[in-house]
Amino acid sequence: MTHPADQNVPHMDLADFRRHGHQIIDWIADYLEGVQDRPVNSIVQPGEIAGMLPSSMPENGESFESILSDLDRVIMPGLTHWQSPNWFAYFPANASPTSILADVVSSGLGVQGMLWATSPACTEVETRVLDWLADFLGLGDRFLSTGTGGGVIQDTASSAAVCTMLAARDRATSGTQQGLSGHAPSLRAYTSNQAHSSIEKAAGIIGIGRDNLRLIEVDDQYAMCPAALRAAIEEDLAAGHQPFYVSATIGTTASGAFDPLPEILEICRAYGLWFHVDAAMFGTAACCEEFRWIQAGCQEADSYTMNPHKWMLVNFDCNCLWVADRAALIESLSILPEYLRNQATNSGAVIDYRDWQIPLGRRFRSLKLWFVLRQYGVIGIQNMVREHAALTRDLVTWIEEDECFEILAPAPVTLVCFAHRDGDERTQAILDAANASGKVSLSHARLKDRLVIRFSIGQWRTQRSHVESAWKLIQSFSDA
Ligand SMILES: *Cc1c(COP(=O)(O)O)cnc(C)c1O
């Protein structure tokens, strides 16, 4: 069944595809086998990788072998190894082997699932798997596709913020067709001053202006103060503005703080505001009974989002967004040019996910979520969360036992923020030395105007020995 290579167009024939495919999987397996011995952070200088690339594309096609060999020569030196078990920076971006293979299948099928009709399985797997996940995370019935809600895969939590804020904007004004034109009062959105920057970006994108997002102050645990939220809303109403949207965070990016959802929910209800919950990283923890408390109240929100592409073993990109009222989202995002009309859409019996997102086209991303949820199962994912949480408790104990350091935020799940007691300069020196050693990757945050080292546990291959070595390394620099 192989196609003869065209004389003029050098398509890869299927025999070569098969051979190179095996080569590529072997190459990836070798990479994952050895990644823990590589320096975690790339140390190349700006322009160094570009300097190894020719300034124009090749005139005649090159052999696949020569491309493959340049992966090692050109690409590898310029990589920071997110799949290293010594990865403790930012949050994880777990690419489990299962998800890698599922993504290969998705690429191999090459389907475009913009409409139900353009590949029914692409839509129906997504709907079902997001219902599974809503159940697994305890999101409650309102977000299920069997009622008025439903879930959709977006590229990132940033897109989820834009889509929900847009739907909320249209609900609060005269709607999609008019948008903000002729709308007199300023629309006001609210989130805590610890919220992710994507909320601010969304405010700019949907046209209300970034200054109309108010950053609400937090308590000493970095969680939003409901009283301050209420006061800001009252102040805005008195000034003639129009409050419309609140985003609360389950696990802030800097320190992993949990906003008090029940109190915020009550305020949203009292003023009729759209309530969005951003659980990008720590939503995954809610699959375990003992961590359910972190999002108590999210079941009554208008929208909820989390990223399987962070902790939940699905390679980037895969964000899940659930809405309680899908009609509101679709109202803002649907568009139906003549060339997309089809019987299934007209019948109203199917979901067309292009109406739930910004782009038209979409690939078969639910495949990798489906593979991962099946291969790990409920128990497998819970076990991973529990292992990482246990490692975090160990790390907290070790830090507490060392009088040179102090922990500056609660660390109930898998993120520990700590600093040297001597102050920022000392903390910075330790962080720089640790990152320059090649043995770990750590990042930082500022909390109450102090520099802290963020030690985020959650890389899928991280074991106790990796956390222990990383901590000893940090201690060795503090003794220096
Ligand atoms: C990581 C993160 C985001 C942004 O995630 P993307 O999917 O990259 O847009 C948003 N909110 C929180 C709380 C995060 O931790």
Side-chain angles (χ1 to χ4, degrees):
M1 277 306 291
T2 61
H3 299 288
D6 188 292
Q7 290 283 304
N8 302 312
V9 186
H11 296 303
M12 186 183 287
D13 73 37
L14 291 184
D16 283 344
F17 173 74
R18 199 179 292 278
R19 189 165 55 85
H20 294 318
H22 287 284
Q23 262 178 312
I24 288 279
I25 296 294
D26 280 341
W27 186 89
I28 297 172
D30 288 345
Y31 171 68
L32 291 176
E33 225 162 53
V35 68
Q36 69 170 313
D37 300 322
R38 293 176 186 265
V40 192
N41 294 325
S42 171
I43 51 164
V44 295
Q45 295 301 309
E48 213 174 310
I49 301 298
M52 287 192 274
L53 301 168
S55 53
S56 57
M57 66 180 274
E59 191 63 27
N60 290 302
E62 301 176 49
S63 75
F64 193 76
E65 277 79 5
S66 73
I67 303 170
L68 201 53
S69 70
D70 278 354
L71 271 185
D72 291 311
R73 188 180 67 86
V74 181
I75 304 300
M76 296 315 279
L79 292 187
T80 288
H81 301 287
W82 290 69
Q83 303 313 313
S84 167
N86 300 312
W87 179 261
F88 305 110
Y90 310 108
F91 283 133
N94 283 334
S96 66
T98 314
S99 69
I100 297 168
L101 293 178
D103 229 7
V104 171
V105 176
S106 170
S107 295
L109 297 174
V111 303
Q112 226 276 34
M114 57 189 177
L115 305 174
W116 177 88
T118 59
S119 264
C122 190
T123 294
E124 295 192 10
V125 170
E126 183 160 332
T127 307
R128 180 52 57 96
V129 167
L130 269 87
D131 280 350
W132 285 3
L133 199 50
D135 190 39
F136 185 38
L137 299 175
L139 302 187
D141 295 344
R142 288 170 62 253
F143 293 118
L144 297 180
S145 67
T146 45
T148 57
V152 57
I153 297 179
Q154 305 276 339
D155 51 6
T156 60
S158 304
S159 292
V162 173
C163 293
T164 57
M165 208 185 279
L166 182 71
R169 184 199 79 174
D170 289 345
R171 197 177 75 172
T173 62
S174 44
T176 315
Q177 299 305 123
Q178 292 301 312
L180 290 178
S181 63
H183 189 77
S186 292
L187 290 177
R188 302 284 259 184
Y190 309 83
T191 197
S192 92
N193 62 22
Q194 297 293 304
H196 192 264
S197 53
S198 55
I199 307 299
E200 183 177 337
K201 207 168 176 177
I205 292 168
I206 69 145
I208 64 164
R210 293 184 180 193
D211 285 349
N212 284 311
L213 174 72
R214 291 195 59 169
L215 302 178
I216 306 300
E217 64 193 67
V218 295
D219 64 18
D220 59 358
Q221 314 228 311
Y222 309 101
M224 193 197 291
C225 295
L229 172 63
R230 193 182 281 276
I233 293 169
E234 284 294 343
E235 192 181 283
D236 283 350
L237 286 170
H241 302 317
Q242 184 184 357
F244 79 111
Y245 182 92
V246 177
S247 176
T249 313
I250 298 302
T252 56
T253 313
S255 75
F258 302 109
D259 288 340
L261 302 192
E263 287 89 339
I264 297 170
L265 172 69
E266 203 179 301
I267 295 170
C268 289
R269 279 196 175 145
Y271 294 94
L273 315 184
W274 185 292
F275 185 25
H276 178 64
V277 176
D278 174 3
M281 168 65 189
F282 288 109
T284 296
C287 74
C288 296
E289 211 49 62
E290 66 271 31
F291 290 120
R292 276 283 158 88
W293 61 268
I294 64 177
Q295 60 184 25
C298 80
Q299 297 78 2
E300 300 302 317
D302 292 289
S303 49
Y304 173 99
T305 193
M306 56 84 64
N307 281 342
H309 70 220
K310 276 180 172 160
W311 196 9
M312 207 188 263
L313 298 158
V314 181
N315 55 356
F316 196 86
D317 50 358
C318 181
N319 162 270
C320 295
L321 166 68
W322 288 268
V323 289
D325 174 19
R326 61 176 175 267
L329 189 67
I330 293 170
E331 173 69 23
S332 289
L333 293 168
S334 78
I335 193 99
L336 186 59
E338 182 54 36
Y339 52 83
L340 293 178
R341 285 187 192 278
N342 66 90
Q343 251 182 359
T345 296
N346 287 346
S347 77
V350 300
I351 287 176
D352 288 324
Y353 275 124
R354 61 101 204 266
D355 292 342
W356 297 51
Q357 62 173 20
I358 298 165
L360 169 62
R362 59 200 329 265
R363 60 202 184 82
F364 201 165
R365 262 187 305 227
S366 58
L367 209 52
K368 56 190 180 180
L369 189 55
W370 186 55
F371 270 48
V372 165
L373 296 184
R374 291 184 62 187
Q375 209 244 284
Y376 283 86
V378 166
I379 306 291
I381 295 173
Q382 287 174 336
N383 285 348
M384 181 193 71
V385 166
R386 289 180 174 135
E387 278 171 21
H388 290 158
L391 293 179
T392 308
R393 286 194 293 276
D394 287 344
L395 176 64
V396 165
T397 310
W398 300 333
I399 298 174
E400 282 170 351
E401 282 166 4
D402 186 328
E403 57 197 25
C404 295
F405 292 93
E406 62 183 315
I407 294 177
L408 290 162
V413 191
T414 60
L415 174 64
V416 190
C417 295
F418 62 99
H420 197 282
R421 288 187 193 273
D422 285 356
D424 286 2
E425 216 169 300
R426 202 69 197 282
T427 303
Q428 185 74 58
I430 293 168
L431 182 61
D432 291 346
N435 281 328
S437 75
K439 293 184 176 137
V440 294
S441 184
L442 294 160
S443 57
H444 76 278
R446 287 204 83 83
L447 296 176
K448 295 208 183 93
D449 216 27
R450 274 185 74 182
L451 177 73
V452 296
I453 297 174
R454 281 175 82 268
F455 196 128
S456 158
I457 295 172
Q459 213 290 324
W460 64 282
R461 299 166 82 200
T462 297
Q463 303 286 316
R464 197 168 199 277
S465 59
H466 301 111
V467 179
E468 214 163 17
S469 306
W471 171 241
K472 286 196 175 129
L473 184 77
I474 291 167
Q475 278 184 310
S476 74
F477 294 125
S478 97
D479 297 339

